[in-house]
Amino acid sequence: MSDLSAFSLAGRTVLVTGANTGIGQGIALAIGRAGGKVIGVGRSGMDETAGLMAGMGAPFVALQADLASTAAAQAMFDAAWAQHGPIDGLVNNAGIIKRADAVDFSEADWDAVMDINLKAMFFLCQAMGRKALAAGRGAQIVNISSMLSFQGGIRVASYTASKSGVLGITRLLANEWAARGINVNSIAPGYIETNNTEALRADPDRSASILGRIPAGRWGVPSDIGDAAVFLLSRAANYMHGAVIPVDGGWLAR
């Protein structure tokens, strides 16, 4: 038995998608604080995340990839494993959102969101599963779902569909892989201060109605999600499979 805390990620390498900003950046920093190495993946540069990781002396590798392309995403993962691996954990955080009334929602906006939020998530899980199983290694996968995995929301049809799917796929993979040493779980963030919620926070009426329902009385911040991710990536969560942890300030309890 290791002398390290069950919550330590020392010696572990975790690939985090969407690590350039928001929740993904918060997750990367939390992994660094817990002693882990992060491979950050994003569409754009990750200079800010890299600087913050360097400031705490945490190892960080930045990779750019178009996750909308399944082939590109899988090639990125295989190259990351070969060059920086083996990879112990995967956090599928990258996501986009499109807003429009259901009667006006376009097929292009449907496909764009589903490709990133659900399709890329599944095929990165598949890539991780293939590598870990072939190597006879355990692995931890954390998929970022949403409050809209439980609720309908408004004006975000493809986002709601995708995040409901994330929760379903998390459970399916847990059923298939739990006995083979791969933990697949999910975090459902509540309303967090990120780019995706900027439009909501800028709308005084919507912002007030959201805040009024959150028992904690505040919007969440990325580190709230990061610390939960560290738990699910650590040895402390070894017997958790197919679980979803809402980190929502009490939103679902209201």
Side-chain angles (χ1 to χ4, degrees):
M1 181 64 70
S2 170
D3 291 333
L4 291 172
S5 163
F7 299 92
S8 172
L9 298 183
R12 297 198 179 193
T13 298
V14 182
L15 189 146
V16 180
T17 66
N20 52 312
T21 187
I23 288 174
Q25 184 179 84
I27 291 170
L29 295 176
I31 292 168
R33 285 192 295 270
K37 172 183 176 179
V38 174
I39 302 172
V41 179
R43 288 175 299 175
S44 54
M46 282 169 282
D47 292 349
E48 183 180 62
T49 304
L52 292 168
M53 291 289 283
M56 68 173 73
F60 181 76
V61 175
L63 299 177
Q64 285 190 262
D66 177 14
L67 298 182
S69 164
T70 301
Q74 290 182 309
M76 173 278 298
F77 187 91
D78 290 345
W81 184 287
Q83 295 171 25
H84 308 289
I87 295 169
D88 302 289
L90 167 66
V91 180
N92 282 302
N93 161 76
I96 61 173
I97 192 166
K98 302 288 186 179
R99 301 180 190 276
D101 289 343
V103 293
D104 298 322
F105 212 89
S106 70
E107 184 176 2
D109 281 355
W110 178 274
D111 289 344
V113 172
M114 296 296 277
D115 283 350
I116 295 291
N117 295 14
L118 186 58
K119 187 175 179 180
M121 179 276 302
F122 172 76
F123 284 103
L124 283 175
C125 286
Q126 182 188 75
M128 178 72 164
R130 284 174 171 169
K131 289 289 190 184
L133 293 170
R137 296 174 55 87
Q140 286 75 35
I141 296 175
V142 178
N143 297 320
I144 303 301
S145 52
S146 169
M147 291 296 95
L148 299 189
S149 299
F150 307 98
Q151 300 171 320
I154 57 172
R155 307 189 74 247
V156 288
S158 54
Y159 188 85
T160 296
S162 70
K163 291 301 187 177
S164 296
V166 167
L167 206 47
I169 292 297
T170 295
R171 290 166 173 155
L172 174 135
L173 293 176
N175 287 335
E176 292 198 20
W177 293 345
R180 304 179 73 179
I182 299 178
N183 298 71
V184 188
N185 295 293
S186 178
I187 296 170
Y191 286 88
I192 310 296
E193 294 178 3
T194 68
N195 293 340
N196 274 359
T197 61
E198 189 172 358
L200 296 177
R201 287 181 286 117
D203 181 330
D205 293 336
R206 286 282 280 137
S207 181
S209 67
I210 289 168
L211 198 57
R213 181 182 158 154
I214 300 173
R218 68 171 176 90
W219 287 68
V221 293
S223 62
D224 292 323
I225 310 303
D227 292 336
V230 167
F231 165 59
L232 289 177
L233 291 164
S234 75
R235 185 162 48 88
N238 274 359
Y239 198 55
M240 293 185 68
H241 298 276
V244 55
I245 299 179
V247 182
D248 63 355
W251 175 273
L252 289 178
R254 192 64 165 224

